[in-house]
Amino acid sequence: MSAELPKSRAPSIRDVARLAGVSHQTVSRVLNNHPSIRESTKARVQQVMEELQYRPNRAARALSRGTSRTIGVLSASSSQYGPASSIAAIQDAARDAGYYVNTANITSADPDSIEAALDHLMLQSVEGIVVIAPQARVFEVLESLSISVPYVALQSTGGMTDHGLSVDQIAGARLATRHLIDLGHRDIYHLAGPQDWIEAEARMRGFLDEMSAMDVPTTAPILGDWTADFGYYAGRELLRVRDFTAIFCSNDQMALGLMHAIRDAGLDIPGDISVVGYDDIPESAHFWPPLTTVRQDFAELGRRCMALLLDDIAAGPAHDRSPIIPALIVRASTGPPAF
């Protein structure tokens, strides 16, 4: 039997039922994997759905159950690689769990902007919220508000223990710094991120902690803005003195600009200066030379985040909230210092 319909409309559940020779209640049971449905009936209904290219109206199904099957994402900086990758990982994990994702961007970190974004999500009847906010002041505002649905906050410091899931940015920065020290470098600079970013603060702290633990003298980190342009500018200024053999950059974009400045000065990487980045953006493996950097497992972050949030929604047992530890990816941009 070939299932055909007029091309002017999408197939409905009643079309599937009619062509499969069953009731629409039976089709609904098949969609919901009801145990009472015989395998032969299930196979026949699924064949018709495939032939018709029937897609169930999930919003209507959720409404009938009294749930929205929607997760909200509150994002304060979705343009940067880390936050954008976190959102993509959460969307993948939510889709695998049968949830939609609705994202609200915070235009600024003031309380009114944050409350407006939360109100937007609540109007969509979200069942839970994931907060991706790199600035500490966003979390300060959130802690002062009464959020009526479960939420999980992605952060770097693990401060919000009741709601937080963190990537241990301090550990990642220590890995990068220790790699340079183990290669023999002692004159190491750190090109940090913006002062108000939690990740930048944590990575700077990790750099300083590792330098101190290894009893290596250090100079004050240089505060950047995440861009390749700043990395290039900082590199040109630093090379006027050139009292270092290695630089750990707080992200890969600044490392790219720095490498450009080093090349423009006629110097070799890593022969004259070693460079380490952070984030492992897809392009970092194709820098010249390929960049040693710190990789975060965003897919694991998304899965863990959704598991925690769904547990909170169902009031089930809590999943693991221990920090996710990044990994150092060693490539050709680092080597021993030239003495």
Side-chain angles (χ1 to χ4, degrees), residues 48-69:
V48 172
M49 287 193 293
E50 184 176 345
E51 291 176 355
L52 291 179
Q53 295 186 324
Y54 170 71
R55 298 293 181 267
N57 187 332
R58 295 179 63 186
R61 291 170 62 194
L63 184 62
S64 69
R65 297 171 182 165
T67 60
S68 68
R69 304 295 289 180

Side-chain angles (χ1 to χ4, degrees), residues 133-173:
Q135 293 88 356
R137 59 183 178 271
V138 175
F139 290 105
E140 293 170 1
V141 174
L142 286 173
E143 289 187 310
S144 70
L145 299 175
S146 177
I147 302 177
S148 59
V149 297
Y151 71 96
V152 172
L154 299 187
Q155 54 192 326
S156 305
T157 59
M160 299 177 70
T161 54
D162 291 340
H163 300 280
L165 176 63
S166 63
V167 175
D168 195 335
Q169 307 286 352
I170 295 174

Side-chain angles (χ1 to χ4, degrees), residues 13-216:
I13 191 171
R14 294 186 182 275
D15 294 322
V16 175
R18 176 174 56 81
L19 292 169
V22 298
S23 68
H24 71 273
Q25 291 93 341
T26 297
V27 177
S28 179
R29 292 189 185 100
V30 170
L31 289 170
N32 291 297
N33 294 315
H34 198 282
S36 68
I37 300 297
R38 288 183 297 182
E39 285 300 318
S40 59
T41 302
K42 181 179 179 180
R44 187 164 72 253
V45 170
Q46 289 176 333
Q47 179 183 352
V48 172
M49 287 193 293
E50 184 176 345
E51 291 176 355
L52 291 179
Q53 295 186 324
Y54 170 71
R55 298 293 181 267
N57 187 332
R58 295 179 63 186
R61 291 170 62 194
L63 184 62
S64 69
R65 297 171 182 165
T67 60
S68 68
R69 304 295 289 180
T70 301
I71 296 298
V73 172
L74 189 68
S75 174
S77 184
S78 57
S79 61
Q80 294 292 333
Y81 177 76
S85 299
S86 296
I87 293 172
I90 289 161
Q91 288 173 331
D92 289 342
R95 184 168 55 249
D96 290 343
Y99 277 78
Y100 296 102
V101 173
N102 196 324
T103 301
N105 292 311
I106 303 171
T107 55
S108 67
D110 65 272
D112 289 342
S113 176
I114 295 170
E115 288 192 57
L118 282 172
D119 287 344
H120 170 77
L121 292 176
M122 298 307 295
L123 287 173
Q124 314 307 312
S125 300
V126 296
E127 296 184 46
I129 294 174
V130 180
V131 182
I132 304 174
Q135 293 88 356
R137 59 183 178 271
V138 175
F139 290 105
E140 293 170 1
V141 174
L142 286 173
E143 289 187 310
S144 70
L145 299 175
S146 177
I147 302 177
S148 59
V149 297
Y151 71 96
V152 172
L154 299 187
Q155 54 192 326
S156 305
T157 59
M160 299 177 70
T161 54
D162 291 340
H163 300 280
L165 176 63
S166 63
V167 175
D168 195 335
Q169 307 286 352
I170 295 174
R174 294 192 71 154
L175 285 172
T177 308
R178 182 63 180 268
H179 172 64
L180 292 172
I181 294 171
D182 285 347
L183 286 171
H185 294 278
R186 293 298 179 269
D187 301 311
I188 306 170
Y189 275 28
H190 177 47
L191 191 53
Q195 191 170 18
D196 62 337
W197 277 60
I198 301 172
E199 283 86 354
E201 176 67 26
R203 293 170 192 178
M204 182 169 62
R205 179 178 158 192
F207 166 77
L208 294 172
D209 286 353
E210 190 63 28
M211 293 285 280
S212 176
M214 300 300 293
D215 198 26
V216 178

